[in-house]
Amino acid sequence: MTAVVGVPRRQSRPSRDDVRRRLLDGALAVVAARGYDRTSLDQVAAAAGFTKGAVYSNFATKDELFLALLDRELRARVAAVRRALSTAEGPRDVGTRLARALVAGPAWQLLAADFWRRAVRDPAVRGQFVAHRLELRELVAEAITDLLPSGRGGAPDPAAVAATALALAAGLAAEQLVDQGDGAHELLGSLLNRLLEVG
């Protein structure tokens, strides 16, 4: 069928999944820039290129949007660690790859700070946040166990190394935001290799 000259083609509407993804991307950008408390749904909608009605058709409240963003971003960190550790070439490579996966960009670090602040005060956020952190810690500990030589005397406790890795990553990322440096993952990798006694 020939299109009528001068009549613009009707653009297909974005799928519900695409709308949701764009809303979450918009929320990430706005919350990272302004903080959760100062973010409005109007701002999220504008950042995503939609009206506020699109937000309400996907999320009943601002908290529901925030929790969906929390879930997506924490799952992304777990997936990043899985990818990094699956390609590690033995114990000497663990610290470096793990550091690169844990020290993400500034948007995530700012968002993570908001997540943490809310998690210590809000039981609804805390349960979700803690579940993901435990999953991430267990994943790192399992990978360290698999990659370290078996039967080695004086080997570090993988669970302790995993907990230390997450704490160091959070602290170094916070320092990186303040001093605008870009060497946090290198320092973290070096520290983790020392903890693993392979550096």
Side-chain angles (χ1 to χ4, degrees), residues 1 14 19 27 34 61 63 78 93 97 118 141 167 186 199:
M1 182 176 182
V19 171
R34 300 180 57 84
T61 63
D63 270 349
V78 171
D93 200 30
R97 289 185 183 271
R118 290 204 64 204
E186 293 179 4

Side-chain angles (χ1 to χ4, degrees), residues 44-124:
V44 171
F50 297 117
T51 65
K52 191 160 68 171
V55 179
Y56 281 119
S57 70
N58 285 271
F59 305 100
T61 63
K62 180 178 166 182
D63 270 349
E64 186 177 313
L65 170 62
F66 185 81
L67 288 171
L69 182 59
L70 166 63
D71 184 70
R72 187 186 78 165
E73 294 303 311
L74 289 175
R75 287 186 184 281
R77 299 281 72 73
V78 171
V81 168
R82 284 189 189 280
R83 287 193 301 271
L85 295 179
S86 69
T87 56
E89 299 173 356
R92 187 172 295 277
D93 200 30
V94 173
T96 302
R97 289 185 183 271
L98 185 56
R100 288 180 181 148
L102 289 176
V103 180
W108 162 249
Q109 300 304 338
L110 290 167
L111 190 60
D114 250 339
F115 285 165
W116 180 89
R117 183 180 59 81
R118 290 204 64 204
V120 298
R121 295 182 175 90
D122 185 338

Side-chain angles (χ1 to χ4, degrees), residues 107-196:
W108 162 249
Q109 300 304 338
L110 290 167
L111 190 60
D114 250 339
F115 285 165
W116 180 89
R117 183 180 59 81
R118 290 204 64 204
V120 298
R121 295 182 175 90
D122 185 338
V125 177
R126 182 166 57 247
Q128 198 166 354
F129 187 79
V130 168
H132 281 291
R133 292 293 287 185
L134 288 176
E135 181 182 357
L136 188 55
R137 189 186 301 176
E138 289 170 4
L139 171 64
V140 174
E142 288 172 9
I144 291 170
T145 300
D146 292 341
L147 289 165
L148 287 176
S150 60
R152 189 181 67 174
D157 174 22
V161 173
T164 302
L166 294 178
L168 285 172
L172 287 171
E175 290 300 316
Q176 182 172 289
L177 284 174
V178 173
D179 64 22
Q180 302 297 306
D182 59 359
H185 73 272
E186 293 179 4
L187 178 56
L188 178 58
S190 175
L191 291 171
L192 291 178
N193 282 336
R194 293 297 298 272
L195 283 172
L196 294 167

